[in-house]
């Protein structure tokens, strides 16, 4: 039932300017009547079969990986940086170069019901010493979870409670970043106990740890 998978790098508010994505045991297959994405021929409908064509297509990626220094072997997965290494977002100031590595903070203030609809308010700030455009909160995110047995139901972007799924697959909602933020959900939520987690991402890509969250009871 997957309709779309996308990987975006630094193209939107609050997105990291460097990083990596590790994928394993994943296979992508074209629909029988879908678009053709391989370019071995103009009417290609599957993976390249010509070994020379495969090598030519892969050559740029292979060269980039081979030319990048690799970390020593360890028990944890390694990261190959195609840009030469992970770097904190930096900018030049009058005092020199400033590297913003300070995580921003977002906190949940009040949770209340207005005409039966949940309203959350809170604050966010970035305490980085870098007095630049990087020293600001770019986005605020939250999850609202209702535990159902060993599974979880998450409030979705529509404002409704979704179906019970694994608690390891939370639904993250992005709200407008502001020193004092608020969000009102469009639909009434079922009675019960909910866990609300909130965190912020700054313009340099630093991400706050969400923590255990706060319990909100709706009755």
């Amino acid at each position: 039932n997957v309709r779309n998978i996308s990987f975006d790098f630094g193209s939107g508010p609050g997105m990291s300017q460097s990083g990596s994505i590790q994928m394993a045991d994943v296979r992508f297959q074209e629909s029988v009547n879908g678009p053709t994405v391989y370019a071995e021929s103009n009417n290609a409908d599957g993976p390249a079969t010509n070994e020379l064509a495969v090598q030519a297509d892969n050559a740029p990626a292979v060269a980039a990986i081979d030319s990048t220094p690799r970390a020593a072997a360890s028990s944890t997965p390694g990261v190959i940086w195609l840009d030469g290494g992970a770097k904190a977002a930096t900018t030049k100031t009058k005092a020199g170069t400033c590297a913003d590595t300070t995580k921003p903070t977002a906190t949940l203030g009040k949770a209340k019901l207005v005409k039966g609809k949940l309203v959350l308010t809170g604050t966010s700030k970035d305490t980085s010493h870098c007095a630049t455009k990087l020293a600001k909160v770019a986005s605020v995110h939250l999850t609202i979870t209702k535990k159902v047995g060993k599974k979880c139901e998450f409030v979705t972007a529509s404002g409704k409670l979704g179906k019970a799924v694994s608690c390891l697959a939370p639904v993250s909602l992005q709200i407008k970043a502001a020193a004092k933020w608020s969000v009102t959900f469009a639909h009434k939520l079922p009675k019960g106990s909910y866990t609300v987690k909130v965190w912020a991402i700054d313009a340099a890509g630093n991400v706050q740890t969400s923590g255990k969250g706060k319990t909100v009871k709706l009755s």
Side-chain angles (χ1 to χ4, degrees):
N1 293 324
V2 175
R3 293 292 181 266
N4 179 68
I5 297 177
S6 63
F7 301 102
D8 296 327
F9 299 87
S11 60
M15 302 190 71
S16 298
Q17 296 183 2
S18 65
S20 65
I21 291 179
Q22 179 179 350
M23 299 179 64
D25 299 329
V26 177
R27 172 182 292 177
F28 295 100
Q29 181 173 317
E30 298 173 19
S31 168
V32 173
N33 299 319
T36 57
V37 298
Y38 294 98
E40 186 179 350
S41 66
N42 292 333
N43 59 350
D45 59 3
T49 56
N50 183 295
E51 184 62 28
L52 293 178
V54 173
Q55 293 178 6
D57 290 342
N58 291 340
V62 172
I65 293 175
D66 287 345
S67 64
T68 303
R70 308 192 183 195
S74 69
S75 58
T76 57
V79 176
I80 300 174
W81 299 98
L82 297 184
D83 61 356
K87 299 178 181 178
T90 60
T91 186
K92 292 184 178 180
T93 66
K94 292 182 179 180
T97 300
C98 179
D100 183 0
T101 59
T102 304
K103 295 180 179 181
T105 57
T107 58
L108 174 65
K110 295 182 179 180
K112 59 183 179 180
L113 291 176
V114 177
K115 296 182 179 180
K117 298 177 182 178
L118 179 63
V119 178
L120 301 176
T121 61
T123 61
S124 67
K125 62 181 179 180
D126 187 6
T127 57
S128 171
H129 65 282
C130 290
T132 69
K133 63 181 180 180
L134 294 178
K136 66 178 181 179
V137 175
S139 58
V140 176
H141 304 255
L142 56 85
T143 59
I144 305 175
T145 311
K146 187 175 188 292
K147 196 73 180 294
V148 181
K150 293 183 178 180
K151 293 188 176 182
C152 292
E153 295 176 343
F154 298 98
V155 175
T156 65
S158 68
K160 296 181 179 180
L161 198 61
K163 295 181 179 180
V165 296
S166 169
C167 294
L168 299 177
V171 175
S172 173
L173 306 176
Q174 180 175 335
I175 60 179
K176 185 177 180 180
K180 294 183 178 180
W181 56 266
S182 65
V183 58
T184 302
F185 292 89
H187 298 277
K188 294 181 179 180
L189 297 174
K191 297 178 181 179
S193 180
Y194 294 77
T195 299
V196 180
K197 293 183 179 181
V198 60
W199 66 95
I201 302 176
D202 69 13
N206 297 306
V207 183
Q208 174 189 358
T209 303
S210 61
K212 293 183 179 181
K214 290 186 177 180
T215 300
V216 175
K217 294 185 179 181
L218 302 182
S219 57

